[in-house]
Each structure stands twice: as structure tokens, then as C-alpha cells.
Amino acid sequence: MIKTRIKKIFSEALIKSKLDLNGLTVIPQNNENFGDYSTSISLQLAKVEKANPMILAEKIAKNIPTDDLVEKVEVIKPGFINVWIAKKQLLKNLTKIDNKYGNSTLAKREKVIVEYSSPNIAKPFTIGHLRSTIIGDAIANILEATGAKVYRDNHLGDWGTQFGKLIYAIKTWGNENEIKDADNPVRILVDLYVRFHKEAEINPQLNDEGRMWFKKLEEGDAEARRLWTQSIEWSWNEFDRLYKKLGIKTEKFENNGRGYGESYFEDKMSPIIDELKKKEILTESKGAFLVFFPNDKYPPLMLIKQDGATLYATRDLATDAFRLNRYGKNVKIINEVGAEQSLYFQQLYETEVLAGWLKREKRVHIKHGMYRFKDSKMSTRKGNTIWLEDVLKEATNRAIKLGKLENIKVSEVIGVGALKWNDLKKSSHLDIVFDWEDVLNMQGNSGPYIQYTYVRCRSVLNKVDKYDFTTEIEETVNLNNDELVLIRSLLKYPETVLEAAKAYAPNYLCTYLYDLSQKYNLFYQKNPILKAEDTEQKNLRLKITLAVSNVLQHGLNLLGIKTVKKM
Ligand code: ARG
């Protein structure tokens, strides 16, 4: 990676100048006037050395050799050092850009579990689950591209006392055949569950019935197990349909494509409880068992209720113990879950650290923000949950209206791509104001805009037959500004993937791809490609076009967004 090589050059210059290289960072530049990379190290050093930053910068710059890699070095006020990558290098890189450009093996020693999606059985697949699915999938793809060994997990909510209530409700008010034949069995299950709570308000005795059925379920009662398994299948069918629409490859999830749901840990909690009791992390209080944190850093976390029941947190601890055992102590565990569970995950991680299982930095909560809808129609549905199916339908319908998208398949790709881009383009912890106009704006920072730029590249390339893309480009070629700007930007793609991986930030990739698309579209409007003045120029422009199309496709692919041939 060029950035790494530049860092080395800066470091060597600092050593030669007898200066401290701690805190050296290389800043990629997007503005032609500031070169390709910069450093502000002289400004930092000036404070320590009590020296003039401009003089320090000059001194360091003198020790940066101009060669095959660096063509020009410049010092500017108040003490930045800017370097320009040599044209020869830029051209060499351009010819190297194939459909794997952006992949590396830098993280090949890392093992990471990315847990995402995690919807609940017999409950709606919410916008929160949608965000988790989109962001988690992109993060897993990006990490994989840097060579890490990635395990994808889906922590399905398929266990807990609520299933006792559900079973009671199905048996009392439900009709299994009717549920089975319904368009959307999950909606009926949700209605039954809601009904349970309504009736229980009037008749609290129902809660005992619910508890009894959960107990039966735990004890392996055949009828309870049957209805529970049935509910899982009904829900999974629904989830699977959504995953297909979203282009999520479920076969990549651990445990045969479904992930280890909460129920997998049903019989794995008691050793954990024993361990935590022995380590004096878990203490009794009024019949319940809780983790109290030193200095009350967080509120206590309950692991066993008064009635002896385990909780969500108990299963999470068993899950992580299982993961450390299965994938090794060094595995990093990432949970992609809404920001509303922030405190909970802090409590969970702290408990694991207290238990001596792992270091804090091995646990990461990627917390996404919420959707807010401009369109009030979308936000008022029962209990503020939105049926994802409706959002997907709307996205596709709107994509159809966009223009000549006669093909339903293409509209779906555009609709889903638009939805995903809208989610990924901003830092994931921020809330999203959902505005259909933005989501499908072909002129703006949107999925369709990037997909369209890709189509544009492909249609140029499709018009040339028998073109040999491997021919070298002579260093003597004339580069105009539009071309130069693109070639320089292409150079920075692999490091962008790496930065996105390090920060778990798909939005870095979006920012890059949007910028690249804008640059390409500008270039395209101003410069004839197939009708270029001479062969050399045509050759260069075609190569740029091919490189841009490769990078756009690679990047979109990491984001989980498909491309189309025509739109
Ligand atoms: N099923 C949970 C929910 O819908 C999310 C699970 C998140 N993952 C975890 N390890 N707790 O809220």
C-alpha cells in the first residue's frame, strides 16, 4: 500500500533529521494543490522542540528523496509537508487495477466474529434489525477483504419466558391451520402475543399459565416443543424471504446458516453461573442473582430472576464463553446492535472482563442509531415498528418510477441498493432521517447514483471490442487534470478499505465511492473516450474507465450492493 510506503519515507526523513517519529501520521489528500499525502508532524514537534514549525518542516523535507515513488515535496504554512506521487507510479498502479484490487492480506492473523441481524422469533423484523443486517454484513465483508478470518453469527431471539406466553396464546385463541396458511404467519403470532398481554391485564392469572408453559418448554414437554419449533419455522421462513430480498447470503452464518440463536445456550448457562458465583462476581440479592460492578460503575446486571429464570444476559454470557472456547481466546467479538442497548453491552463486557475471560478491546459494540421518518405515514404503524416488507416494496415501487426500469429485477436491485446506501453512507451510530427523495436521488449521494456511474463505465467498455487492456501506458502520455485527479484517487482505494476495516466504518467506503463517481462523471462529460484524439489518449481513458468500474463494483460488493448492466 502506497500510504505505508509514504509513512516509511517520512519516518526515515525524521530519523535522518534526528527527530522523534512518535505520533507520525500520514494524511491522504484529495485536493490536487496539497499533493497526495501530507504530514503535520512538524507542527507537533515544534511544541516539544520549541522550534519554528516551518524551519523544522524544511529540515525534514530536505531528507525526503525524490525518486520513483515521490515526485515532488513541498512545505507550506504553517508547517505541513506535502508529497506528490510520481506519474510513473500512478500509471503503473492504474494498469494493475483488476476486480480484486482493494483486497489485501494484512489482517490475515485476525479472527473476528461479526454478529448481526439477530431478529426475534414471533416478533416483527424491525428497522433496527434491518440496520443491523445491512451494517453488520458490510462490516463482515470489509474485514474479510483485509484478510481476516470472519465468522458471521446471527443471535436469533428464540428463547425466553415470552415463549410460554406465546404457546398459551396459540393454544387458547389460535388456529394452527389458519396460521400455517396465512400470507404472513408472523403477523398472526404477534397479534396473539399482543392479545395475551391485553388479556393478562384484566386477568393476571394468565401470567401463571405463561410461566407454566415456559416451564414445560424447558422440561422438554412434547406439545410445548412442537409449538415452539413450529413458531421458529414460521418466523424463519419470513426472515429467509427478507434475507433473499436483501441479498444476504445466509449460508455464511455459522451453525448451518442460521447462527447460534439464544436457545442453543439453554443448557450452557449453568456452568457459567457456577463460575461467576465461584469468582464472587455474581451475588444473591432477595433471591435473585446479580453482578454488582466495582464502584457502581454500572447498575447491577441481573442473571437469575427470583423465580430462578435465566435472562437475555445469561444467554449472552453463555454465548461468549462458547465463542471463546470454539474460536479461540484471541477472537474478537463484534455485536452489531442498536444504540439503545449500549448500557447493556457495557455491563456485559465488563462482566466478561471481571471474569477474566478476555481484554476489553476484544469486545466491540457497533451501535446503530434510529430511523426517523419524514413521511409520517411510515412512522405511525402500531407500536412504532415498521414492517420491513413494506419498506422494501416502497423502495422497489419508487425505483420503478425512476425511469425506464421496465425490469422488476433491476428495480429491486436499485431499490434495495438505495436503501442500503442510505444506511451505510453515514457513520452508523447517527440517526437517519429517512426521506425517500434522498434515498433515490439519482443526482445526489445515493445508491442509484453510484450504480448508474458503474453502468456508464460498462456501457463505454462494451462498445469496444477486442481491446487489449494489458498494454502499458507510456510515461510520456499527456495527462489532463480530469484524468490525473481520477488516477490519483484510484491509488487510494486499497487504503480506504483498510481504514474502513479498522474503524468498522462502511461509511468511509461510501464517501470514497461517491467522490470517485463524481470525479468520473465530470471526466466523462468533458473528455471524449471512444472518440479521443489519438490511440494513446483513448487507451488511457479506457483504462481509467475500466479501473473505475472495477473499483465501483468491488466497493459496492463490499457494501452488499449489487450492480446492474443497464438502467
Ligand atoms: N434479539 C435482540 C433484539 O432484537 C438482539 C440481539 C443482539 N445480540 C446479542 N448478543 N444480544 O433486541
Side-chain angles (χ1 to χ4, degrees), residues 124 126-127 190 194 370 378-387:
T126 65
I127 289 295
V190 173
V194 170
M370 293 193 303
M378 306 273 324
S379 62
T380 48
R381 200 163 218 143
K382 202 185 349 184
N384 234 350
T385 53
I386 289 113
W387 289 90

Side-chain angles (χ1 to χ4, degrees), residues 355-370:
W357 292 0
L358 77 184
K359 294 204 179 87
R360 181 65 184 78
E361 66 268 19
K362 291 281 179 188
R363 297 295 273 108
V364 182
H365 177 200
I366 307 287
K367 26 183 168 266
H368 57 252
M370 293 193 303

Side-chain angles (χ1 to χ4, degrees), residues 125-138:
F125 192 109
T126 65
I127 289 295
H129 299 120
L130 174 69
R131 292 213 72 189
S132 174
T133 308
I134 294 174
I135 298 165
D137 198 54

Side-chain angles (χ1 to χ4, degrees), residues 115-121 123-124 126 128-129 132 154-158 262 312-313 315-316 319-320 323 333-338 340-341 344-345 348 363:
E115 175 215 277
Y116 59 98
S117 198
S118 313
N120 302 317
I121 298 300
K123 295 260 181 72
T126 65
H129 299 120
S132 174
N154 190 344
H155 195 70
L156 278 188
D158 59 0
E262 289 185 47
Y312 179 58
R315 287 183 284 284
D316 255 325
T319 306
D320 289 336
R323 287 168 171 168
I333 308 173
I334 298 177
N335 304 95
E336 205 317 330
V337 190
E340 67 282 358
Q341 293 190 33
Y344 167 70
F345 277 103
L348 184 69
R363 297 295 273 108

